């Protein structure tokens, strides 16, 4: 991802994570997704500060620590399209503090991207690049129900196709080691993302936070995380069947530092990434090794 952004923008690019004070319709109607933490995955944001202040403080820090000169304003916590259009316009605009913000990235649910929101995002395309991040996790409908996602595969496909019509970059979140999935579900997920021609994927290894339905299930013995060996089998298969043009934004999860019951089999993020890369080398395989373009077409790596 880092090299991709350098080629695209000609400089070191850093992602600024934002909590814009949104909530999630699923939480209000059906309860949270069973893996969701109380912050809506916003545990690493500067919660409580204005959007502008969150952006300015992170910009200063990333410039000093990493030498970044361009930035992505990433609306991360909860569902960032779940509000009236005027509210969304005002909050998105707050993040565009100067010309160093080169991309607006909006994280949301597949069932929360109505046409009025896509039309709103069209307004921002004249100022910055716009990407839409959609949480899918798996193509298995039964697993989606267990996860309490509140949407199905059809809603996801519909959201991708409509967003593509507007020309937005699409990034999809998946969890490859869900205990209720089989290896074939992971492969089908990779194939589906490839055939939908999405632009990027964030791969997550499942982690369990204490204050979540999944945390309660783990304590009660209602499920067990898959083994590290199974995770490696799945992530290799996922990558092999994924189109080589899709950019990998993340390879493993980065869970909260406190309140986590299970994460990465006790390994650090860099250790797990190294294990995955070593396994790919051991098998002499790579992203797209088993990808077959639909209808015999050709796909060139990005």
């Amino acid at each position: 991802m880092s090299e991709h952004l350098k080629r695209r923008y000609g400089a070191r690019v850093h992602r600024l994570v934002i909590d814009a004070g949104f909530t999630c319709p699923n939480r209000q109607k059906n309860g949270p997704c069973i893996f969701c933490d109380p912050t809506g995955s916003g545990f690493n944001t500067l919660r409580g500060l204005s959007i502008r202040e969150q952006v300015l403080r992170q910009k200063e820090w990333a410039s000093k620590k990493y030498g970044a000169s361009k930035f992505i304003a990433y609306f991360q916590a909860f569902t960032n399209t779940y509000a009236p259009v005027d509210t969304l316009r005002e909050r998105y605009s707050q993040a565009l503090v100067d010309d160093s913000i080169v991309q607006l990235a909006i994280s949301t649910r597949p069932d929360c991207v109505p046409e009025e929101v896509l039309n709103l995002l069209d307004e921002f395309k004249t100022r910055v690049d716009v990407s839409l991040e959609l949480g899918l996790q798996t193509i298995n409908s039964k697993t989606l129900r267990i996860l309490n996602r509140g949407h199905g595969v059809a809603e996801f496909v519909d959201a991708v196709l409509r967003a593509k019509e507007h020309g937005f970059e699409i990034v999809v979140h998946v969890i490859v080691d869900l205990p209720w999935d089989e290896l074939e579900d992971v492969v089908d997920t990779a194939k589906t993302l490839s055939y939908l021609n999405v632009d990027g994927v964030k791969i997550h290894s499942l982690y369990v936070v204490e204050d979540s339905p999944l945390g309660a299930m783990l304590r009660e013995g209602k499920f067990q995380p898959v083994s590290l060996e199974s995770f490696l089998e799945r992530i290799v298969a996922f990558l092999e069947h994924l189109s080589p043009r899709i950019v990998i934004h993340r390879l493993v999860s980065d869970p909260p530092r406190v309140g986590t019951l299970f994460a990465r089999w006790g390994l650090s993020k860099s250790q797990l990434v190294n294990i995955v890369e070593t396994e790919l080398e051991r098998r002499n395989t790579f992203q797209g090794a088993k990808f077959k373009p639909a209808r015999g077409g050709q796909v060139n790596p990005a």
Side-chain angles (χ1 to χ4, degrees):
M1 180 59 177
S2 178
E3 292 304 314
H4 167 74
L5 291 174
K6 284 181 183 179
R7 291 195 301 269
R8 181 172 179 176
Y9 295 111
R12 179 68 181 260
V13 182
H14 189 80
R15 185 186 299 264
L16 312 175
V17 293
I18 298 169
D19 185 335
F22 295 118
T23 183
C24 171
N26 207 41
R27 282 178 171 267
Q28 295 180 334
K29 298 176 184 177
N30 308 309
C33 300
I34 63 173
F35 54 78
C36 192
D37 70 85
T39 69
S41 296
F43 52 85
N44 58 346
T45 61
L46 300 176
R47 304 181 72 195
L49 298 179
S50 70
I51 293 172
R52 179 179 176 81
E53 189 63 25
Q54 290 180 62
V55 169
L56 291 175
R57 289 198 185 187
Q58 290 181 80
K59 271 190 60 180
E60 181 180 9
W61 174 80
S63 297
K64 292 179 179 178
K65 183 167 184 176
Y66 299 111
S69 59
K70 295 184 179 181
F71 305 91
I72 297 172
Y74 176 38
F75 284 75
Q76 179 182 34
F78 293 108
T79 304
N80 292 277
T81 57
Y82 185 55
V85 168
D86 289 342
T87 300
L88 297 175
R89 179 183 292 108
E90 187 268 335
R91 295 188 190 181
Y92 297 162
S93 297
Q94 286 184 41
L96 306 184
V97 296
D98 56 38
D99 291 341
S100 69
I101 307 298
V102 294
Q103 185 178 142
L104 183 65
I106 308 298
S107 180
T108 188
R109 294 167 50 85
D111 55 348
C112 284
V113 283
E115 280 302 307
E116 53 264 33
V117 169
L118 296 176
N119 291 334
L120 168 66
L121 291 174
D122 276 332
E123 298 177 15
F124 287 89
K125 288 199 309 185
T126 60
R127 303 170 63 183
V128 292
D129 292 334
V130 176
S131 64
L132 201 62
E133 299 205 2
L134 299 174
L136 171 63
Q137 317 316 339
T138 176
I139 210 71
N140 186 323
S141 296
K142 292 182 179 179
T143 301
L144 289 178
R145 288 193 290 272
I146 294 172
L147 296 177
N148 197 37
R149 285 293 296 169
H151 68 78
V153 176
E155 287 83 358
F156 168 75
V157 173
D158 174 67
V160 171
L161 295 179
R162 288 188 298 104
K164 278 287 186 181
E165 289 178 355
H166 287 257
F168 300 133
E169 183 175 339
I170 306 298
V171 180
V172 181
H173 293 231
V174 299
I175 302 174
V176 297
D177 57 329
L178 292 166
W180 307 278
D181 274 1
E182 302 292 341
L183 182 61
E184 63 181 345
D185 299 310
V186 175
V187 170
D188 284 345
T189 300
K191 290 180 177 180
T192 300
L193 300 186
S194 299
Y195 295 153
L196 285 173
N197 200 30
V198 305
D199 301 281
V201 61
K202 283 187 175 179
I203 304 171
H204 297 267
S205 48
L206 183 66
Y207 64 84
V208 185
V209 293
E210 189 171 24
D211 191 12
S212 70
L214 194 60
M217 292 171 64
L218 181 64
R219 288 191 297 268
E220 295 167 6
K222 293 183 178 179
F223 92 99
Q224 287 296 320
V226 304
S227 66
L228 175 58
E229 291 73 20
S230 179
F231 168 75
L232 290 175
E233 188 75 22
R234 293 179 184 208
I235 195 169
V236 167
F238 181 88
L239 291 170
E240 287 180 325
H241 290 86
L242 191 70
S243 167
R245 65 158 297 278
I246 296 176
V247 177
I248 304 297
H249 289 231
R250 172 178 289 166
L251 200 59
V252 301
S253 291
D254 198 5
R257 295 182 179 179
V258 296
T260 301
L261 300 176
F262 169 83
R264 296 189 308 236
W265 299 273
L267 301 166
S268 70
K269 183 177 181 180
S270 59
Q271 285 175 324
L272 187 53
V273 168
N274 287 338
I275 289 173
V276 172
E277 292 177 343
T278 299
E279 184 66 12
L280 289 168
E281 292 174 356
R282 186 184 72 81
R283 299 187 185 202
N284 192 29
T285 191
F286 51 89
Q287 179 184 346
K290 297 181 180 179
F291 170 68
K292 297 179 181 179
R295 300 175 184 173
Q298 298 297 317
V299 174
N300 295 319

